[in-house]
Amino acid sequence: MKKYLSPFLILGFVCLFSTNLFAQSIDKIINASEVERIERVLSSDSMQGRKTFTPSIDKAAAFIAAEFKKNGLQYFTGLNNYLQEFNMIKGKFISAEGNFDEQPLETKDILAFTTQAELTINNNSGYEKIILSADSNFIRNAMKYIGSDKNYLLIVDPANATGFNRLKRFKREAFKKNTSVIFVLSALDPKKYELTIKYEMSEQKLINVVGILPGKSILGAEYVIFSGHYDHLGIGKPDAKGDSIYNGANDDAAGTTAVIILAEYFSRLKNNERTLIFVAFTAEEIGGFGSRYFSKQLNPDNVTAMFNIEMIGTESKWGTNSAYITGYERSDFGKILQTNLADSKFHFEPDPYTTQNLFYRSDNATLAALGVPAHTISTSKMDDEPNYHKQSDEIGTLDMINMTEIIKAIALSSKTIVAGKDTPARVAMEK
Ligand SMILES: [Zn+2]
């Protein structure tokens, strides 16, 4: 038989055969019942809202790790299991006192961002002193100092009192640091000062779940990351229906489900040329600490692309079979994805909620700020998502069929990046 077939015919036959096989195999792995199986576990009441620093989030981490193990993923460099543990410091305020040019300050006018239990400083301690005069962008400005690695004494003009008081409500968790930033609300610019601030510090453990699928040819230096955050808000006050559990089915059990399924898909396919990293981040809801820690464990130059997946359980504003990509115009990542879906009814759109600054509000932000084409894929209608951050964010409000199509679209749209054929352009840095 063989010798009668022309090479052209053989080629055609093989193509047809493999296309069918491919279509079959993707539905076999990425289908609504598998999506629902995982989503149901992560968003169940027994997970108690997966709040950071609670035992229930560890339960979710164990589940994700077990799924990674089933798919034979490898461990991240330097780890001997799927759990990437790290510590954060949480401070409970005890006392603050001091004086400016020998005039006593009031406790309520002193605010420190520090991870040290006791801080005593004066004008000889080498703190850079800066006056923050009346400023409508006060919070934004203040954030820059809080995020820096220098010691600062920031003297806040009383005109910024409202902003100063808002800073007091900022989360008290932080990575351990040797530097501190102290704000004092005062109209004085002191020549001499003295401040003593005390906190009760506790160290708390957090866990990202990370699994690796090594690339066939491009080992190590060209990672493609698929990520979502598995933490949510935990338990709060009961709503009108008496429900107190914030299940976070959409936010972001949905993205985590996608990450697990994509790990399953690519590990069965086993044809990825580039190394794939699958990661479920912790502590997104309290400040993106999971992704911030993870992003520092690798060289951003070695990351080719990041597919971060957030809230894909509901229909986008364009209806089914669509999703948006944050920071779409900042690289050609979105265009590559769309080109790979040319034969599909699925379409990716640029983020329509640009005033909400979503590009820098999710777990892609740390790597994106370093130039990595790291984008978030979502369907969340940020102006009209009735269950967002509510007890009612439950599996029953999600569209499993549409969510399955989105995960399939991510899998298919990533194929040339996974295969090492396409390399998205780096993201332009913000000034
Ligand atoms: Zn989220």
Coordinates of all heavy atoms in Angstrom, one line a residue, residues 180-233:
S180 N 13.8 51.7 57.3 CA 12.5 52.1 57.8 C 12.1 53.5 57.3 O 13.0 54.3 56.9 CB 12.5 52.2 59.4 OG 13.0 51.0 59.9
V181 N 10.8 53.7 57.2 CA 10.3 55.0 56.7 C 9.4 55.5 57.8 O 8.4 54.8 58.2 CB 9.6 54.8 55.4 CG1 8.9 56.1 54.9 CG2 10.5 54.3 54.3
I182 N 9.7 56.7 58.3 CA 8.9 57.3 59.3 C 8.2 58.6 58.9 O 8.9 59.4 58.3 CB 9.7 57.6 60.6 CG1 10.4 56.3 61.0 CG2 8.9 58.2 61.7 CD1 11.5 56.5 62.1
F183 N 6.9 58.6 59.1 CA 6.1 59.8 58.7 C 5.8 60.6 60.0 O 5.4 59.9 61.0 CB 4.8 59.5 58.0 CG 5.0 58.9 56.7 CD1 5.2 57.5 56.5 CD2 4.9 59.6 55.5 CE1 5.3 56.9 55.3 CE2 5.1 59.1 54.3 CZ 5.3 57.7 54.1
V184 N 6.0 61.9 60.0 CA 5.5 62.6 61.2 C 4.7 63.8 60.6 O 5.1 64.6 59.7 CB 6.7 63.2 62.0 CG1 6.2 64.1 63.1 CG2 7.5 62.0 62.6
L185 N 3.4 63.9 61.2 CA 2.6 65.0 60.7 C 2.9 66.2 61.6 O 2.7 66.3 62.8 CB 1.1 64.6 61.0 CG 0.0 65.5 60.4 CD1 0.0 65.4 58.9 CD2 -1.4 65.1 61.0
S186 N 3.5 67.2 60.9 CA 4.0 68.4 61.6 C 4.2 69.6 60.7 O 4.6 69.4 59.5 CB 5.3 68.1 62.4 OG 5.8 69.2 62.9
A187 N 4.0 70.8 61.2 CA 4.3 72.0 60.4 C 5.7 72.4 60.6 O 6.2 73.3 59.9 CB 3.3 73.1 60.8
L188 N 6.4 71.8 61.5 CA 7.8 72.1 61.8 C 8.8 71.4 60.9 O 8.6 70.2 60.6 CB 8.2 71.8 63.3 CG 7.6 72.7 64.4 CD1 8.0 72.0 65.7 CD2 8.3 74.1 64.3
D189 N 9.9 72.1 60.6 CA 11.1 71.4 60.0 C 12.2 71.4 61.0 O 12.9 72.4 61.1 CB 11.5 72.2 58.7 CG 12.7 71.6 58.1 OD1 13.2 70.6 58.6 OD2 13.3 72.3 57.2
P190 N 12.3 70.3 61.8 CA 13.2 70.4 63.0 C 14.7 70.3 62.7 O 15.1 69.6 61.7 CB 12.8 69.1 63.8 CG 12.3 68.2 62.7 CD 11.7 69.0 61.6
K191 N 15.5 71.0 63.4 CA 17.0 70.9 63.3 C 17.4 69.6 64.1 O 18.2 68.9 63.7 CB 17.6 72.1 63.9 CG 17.5 73.3 63.0 CD 18.8 74.2 63.0 CE 18.9 75.1 61.9 NZ 17.6 75.9 61.6
K192 N 16.7 69.5 65.3 CA 17.0 68.4 66.1 C 15.8 67.6 66.4 O 14.7 68.2 66.6 CB 17.6 68.9 67.5 CG 19.0 69.2 67.5 CD 19.5 69.8 68.8 CE 19.5 68.7 69.9 NZ 19.9 69.2 71.2
Y193 N 15.9 66.3 66.3 CA 14.7 65.5 66.6 C 15.1 64.2 67.3 O 16.3 63.7 67.2 CB 13.8 65.2 65.4 CG 14.5 64.4 64.3 CD1 14.5 63.0 64.4 CD2 15.1 65.0 63.2 CE1 15.2 62.3 63.3 CE2 15.8 64.3 62.2 CZ 15.8 62.9 62.3 OH 16.4 62.2 61.3
E194 N 14.1 63.5 67.9 CA 14.3 62.2 68.5 C 13.0 61.5 68.5 O 12.0 62.1 68.7 CB 14.7 62.5 70.0 CG 15.9 61.7 70.5 CD 16.2 62.1 71.9 OE1 15.3 62.1 72.8 OE2 17.4 62.6 72.1
L195 N 13.1 60.2 68.1 CA 11.8 59.4 68.0 C 12.1 58.0 68.5 O 13.1 57.5 68.2 CB 11.4 59.3 66.5 CG 10.9 60.6 65.8 CD1 11.0 60.4 64.3 CD2 9.5 60.9 66.2
T196 N 11.1 57.5 69.2 CA 11.2 56.1 69.7 C 9.9 55.4 69.3 O 8.8 55.9 69.7 CB 11.5 56.0 71.2 OG1 12.7 56.6 71.4 CG2 11.6 54.5 71.6
I197 N 10.0 54.4 68.6 CA 8.8 53.7 68.1 C 8.9 52.2 68.4 O 9.9 51.6 68.1 CB 8.6 53.9 66.6 CG1 8.5 55.4 66.3 CG2 7.3 53.2 66.1 CD1 8.8 55.8 64.9
K198 N 7.8 51.6 69.0 CA 7.9 50.2 69.3 C 6.7 49.4 68.7 O 5.6 49.9 68.7 CB 7.8 50.0 70.8 CG 9.1 50.5 71.5 CD 9.0 50.3 73.0 CE 10.3 50.9 73.6 NZ 10.1 51.1 75.1
Y199 N 7.1 48.3 68.2 CA 6.1 47.3 67.6 C 6.3 46.0 68.3 O 7.4 45.6 68.7 CB 6.3 47.2 66.1 CG 5.7 48.3 65.3 CD1 6.4 49.5 65.0 CD2 4.4 48.2 64.8 CE1 5.8 50.5 64.3 CE2 3.8 49.2 64.1 CZ 4.5 50.4 63.8 OH 4.0 51.4 63.1
E200 N 5.2 45.2 68.3 CA 5.4 43.8 68.6 C 5.4 43.1 67.2 O 4.5 43.1 66.4 CB 4.2 43.3 69.4 CG 4.3 41.9 69.9 CD 3.1 41.4 70.6 OE1 2.6 42.1 71.5 OE2 2.5 40.4 70.1
M201 N 6.6 42.5 66.9 CA 6.7 41.9 65.5 C 6.5 40.4 65.6 O 7.0 39.7 66.5 CB 8.1 42.2 65.0 CG 8.4 43.6 64.7 SD 7.3 44.2 63.4 CE 7.8 46.0 63.3
S202 N 5.8 39.9 64.6 CA 5.7 38.4 64.5 C 6.1 38.0 63.0 O 5.8 38.7 62.1 CB 4.3 37.9 64.9 OG 3.4 38.6 64.1
E203 N 6.7 36.8 62.9 CA 7.1 36.4 61.6 C 6.0 35.3 61.1 O 5.7 34.5 61.9 CB 8.5 35.7 61.7 CG 9.3 35.9 60.4 CD 10.8 35.7 60.6 OE1 11.2 35.9 61.8 OE2 11.4 35.4 59.7
Q204 N 5.6 35.5 59.9 CA 4.5 34.6 59.5 C 4.9 34.0 58.1 O 5.5 34.6 57.3 CB 3.2 35.3 59.4 CG 2.6 35.5 60.7 CD 1.3 36.3 60.7 OE1 1.3 37.4 60.2 NE2 0.2 35.6 61.0
K205 N 4.5 32.7 58.0 CA 4.9 31.9 56.8 C 3.9 32.1 55.7 O 2.7 32.0 56.0 CB 5.0 30.4 57.3 CG 5.4 29.5 56.2 CD 5.3 28.0 56.7 CE 3.8 27.6 56.7 NZ 3.5 26.3 57.1
L206 N 4.3 32.2 54.5 CA 3.5 32.2 53.3 C 4.0 31.1 52.3 O 5.2 30.8 52.3 CB 3.4 33.5 52.6 CG 2.7 34.7 53.4 CD1 3.7 35.5 54.2 CD2 2.0 35.6 52.4
I207 N 3.1 30.7 51.4 CA 3.5 29.7 50.5 C 2.9 29.9 49.1 O 1.7 30.1 48.9 CB 2.9 28.3 51.0 CG1 3.5 27.9 52.3 CG2 3.2 27.2 49.9 CD1 2.9 26.7 52.9
N208 N 3.8 30.0 48.1 CA 3.4 29.9 46.7 C 3.5 28.4 46.3 O 4.4 27.7 46.9 CB 4.4 30.7 45.8 CG 4.3 32.2 46.0 OD1 3.2 32.7 46.2 ND2 5.4 32.9 45.9
V209 N 2.7 28.0 45.4 CA 2.9 26.6 44.9 C 3.4 26.7 43.5 O 2.8 27.3 42.6 CB 1.5 25.9 44.9 CG1 1.7 24.4 44.7 CG2 0.8 26.1 46.3
V210 N 4.6 26.0 43.2 CA 5.3 26.2 42.0 C 5.6 24.8 41.4 O 6.2 23.9 42.1 CB 6.6 27.0 42.1 CG1 7.1 27.4 40.7 CG2 6.4 28.2 43.0
G211 N 5.4 24.6 40.1 CA 5.8 23.4 39.4 C 6.4 23.7 38.1 O 6.0 24.7 37.4
I212 N 7.3 22.9 37.6 CA 8.1 23.1 36.4 C 7.9 22.0 35.4 O 7.9 20.8 35.8 CB 9.6 23.2 36.7 CG1 9.9 24.1 37.9 CG2 10.4 23.6 35.4 CD1 9.8 25.6 37.5
L213 N 7.7 22.4 34.1 CA 7.7 21.4 33.1 C 8.9 21.8 32.2 O 8.8 22.7 31.4 CB 6.4 21.5 32.3 CG 6.1 20.3 31.3 CD1 6.1 19.0 32.0 CD2 4.8 20.6 30.6
P214 N 10.0 21.1 32.3 CA 11.2 21.5 31.6 C 11.0 21.5 30.1 O 10.3 20.6 29.5 CB 12.3 20.4 32.0 CG 11.7 19.8 33.2 CD 10.3 19.9 33.1
G215 N 11.6 22.4 29.4 CA 11.5 22.5 27.9 C 12.4 21.4 27.3 O 13.4 21.0 27.8
K216 N 11.9 21.0 26.1 CA 12.7 20.0 25.3 C 14.0 20.5 24.9 O 15.0 19.8 24.9 CB 11.8 19.5 24.1 CG 10.8 18.5 24.5 CD 9.8 18.3 23.4 CE 10.4 17.7 22.1 NZ 9.5 17.8 21.0
S217 N 14.0 21.7 24.4 CA 15.3 22.2 23.8 C 15.8 23.5 24.5 O 17.0 23.6 24.6 CB 15.1 22.4 22.3 OG 14.1 23.4 22.1
I218 N 14.9 24.4 24.8 CA 15.4 25.7 25.3 C 15.4 25.6 26.8 O 14.4 26.0 27.4 CB 14.6 26.8 24.8 CG1 14.4 26.7 23.2 CG2 15.2 28.2 25.1 CD1 13.3 27.5 22.7
L219 N 16.4 25.0 27.4 CA 16.4 24.7 28.8 C 16.8 26.0 29.6 O 17.7 26.6 29.3 CB 17.3 23.6 29.1 CG 16.7 22.2 28.8 CD1 17.8 21.2 28.8 CD2 15.6 21.8 29.8
G220 N 16.0 26.2 30.6 CA 16.5 27.2 31.6 C 16.2 28.6 31.3 O 15.6 29.3 32.1
A221 N 16.7 29.1 30.2 CA 16.8 30.6 30.1 C 15.6 31.3 29.5 O 15.6 32.5 29.3 CB 18.1 30.9 29.4
E222 N 14.6 30.5 29.1 CA 13.5 31.2 28.4 C 12.2 30.7 29.0 O 11.5 29.9 28.4 CB 13.5 31.0 26.9 CG 14.7 31.7 26.3 CD 14.7 31.6 24.7 OE1 13.7 31.3 24.2 OE2 15.8 31.8 24.2
Y223 N 11.9 31.1 30.2 CA 10.7 30.6 30.9 C 9.4 31.2 30.4 O 9.3 32.4 30.1 CB 10.8 30.9 32.4 CG 11.9 30.3 33.1 CD1 12.8 31.1 33.9 CD2 12.2 29.0 33.1 CE1 13.9 30.6 34.5 CE2 13.3 28.4 33.8 CZ 14.1 29.2 34.5 OH 15.2 28.7 35.2
V224 N 8.4 30.4 30.3 CA 7.0 30.9 30.1 C 6.2 30.5 31.4 O 6.2 29.4 31.8 CB 6.4 30.2 28.9 CG1 5.0 30.7 28.7 CG2 7.2 30.5 27.6
I225 N 5.6 31.5 32.0 CA 4.9 31.4 33.2 C 3.4 31.4 33.1 O 2.9 32.3 32.4 CB 5.4 32.5 34.2 CG1 6.9 32.4 34.5 CG2 4.6 32.4 35.6 CD1 7.4 33.6 35.2
F226 N 2.7 30.5 33.7 CA 1.3 30.5 33.8 C 0.9 30.6 35.3 O 1.4 29.8 36.1 CB 0.7 29.2 33.2 CG 0.9 29.0 31.7 CD1 2.0 28.3 31.3 CD2 0.0 29.6 30.8 CE1 2.2 28.2 29.9 CE2 0.2 29.5 29.5 CZ 1.4 28.8 29.0
S227 N 0.2 31.7 35.6 CA 0.0 31.9 37.0 C -1.4 32.4 37.4 O -2.2 32.9 36.5 CB 1.0 33.0 37.5 OG 0.8 34.2 36.8
G228 N -1.8 32.3 38.6 CA -3.0 32.8 39.2 C -2.8 32.9 40.7 O -1.9 32.2 41.2
H229 N -3.7 33.6 41.4 CA -3.5 33.6 42.9 C -4.6 32.7 43.5 O -5.7 32.8 43.1 CB -3.5 35.0 43.4 CG -4.8 35.8 43.4 ND1 -5.7 35.7 44.5 CD2 -5.4 36.6 42.5 CE1 -6.7 36.5 44.2 NE2 -6.6 37.0 43.0
Y230 N -4.2 32.0 44.5 CA -5.1 31.1 45.1 C -5.6 31.6 46.5 O -6.5 30.9 47.1 CB -4.5 29.7 45.3 CG -3.4 29.5 46.3 CD1 -3.7 28.8 47.5 CD2 -2.2 29.9 46.1 CE1 -2.8 28.6 48.5 CE2 -1.2 29.7 47.1 CZ -1.5 29.1 48.3 OH -0.5 28.9 49.2
D231 N -5.1 32.7 46.9 CA -5.6 33.2 48.2 C -6.9 34.0 47.9 O -7.2 34.5 46.8 CB -4.6 34.2 48.8 CG -4.4 35.5 48.1 OD1 -4.1 35.4 46.9 OD2 -4.7 36.5 48.6
H232 N -7.7 34.2 49.0 CA -8.9 35.1 48.9 C -9.1 35.8 50.2 O -8.1 35.9 51.0 CB -10.1 34.4 48.3 CG -11.2 35.3 47.9 ND1 -11.0 36.3 46.9 CD2 -12.5 35.4 48.3 CE1 -12.1 37.0 46.8 NE2 -13.0 36.4 47.6
L233 N -10.3 36.1 50.5 CA -10.6 37.0 51.7 C -10.9 36.3 53.0 O -11.1 37.0 54.0 CB -11.6 38.0 51.3 CG -11.3 38.9 50.1 CD1 -12.5 39.7 49.6 CD2 -10.1 39.8 50.3

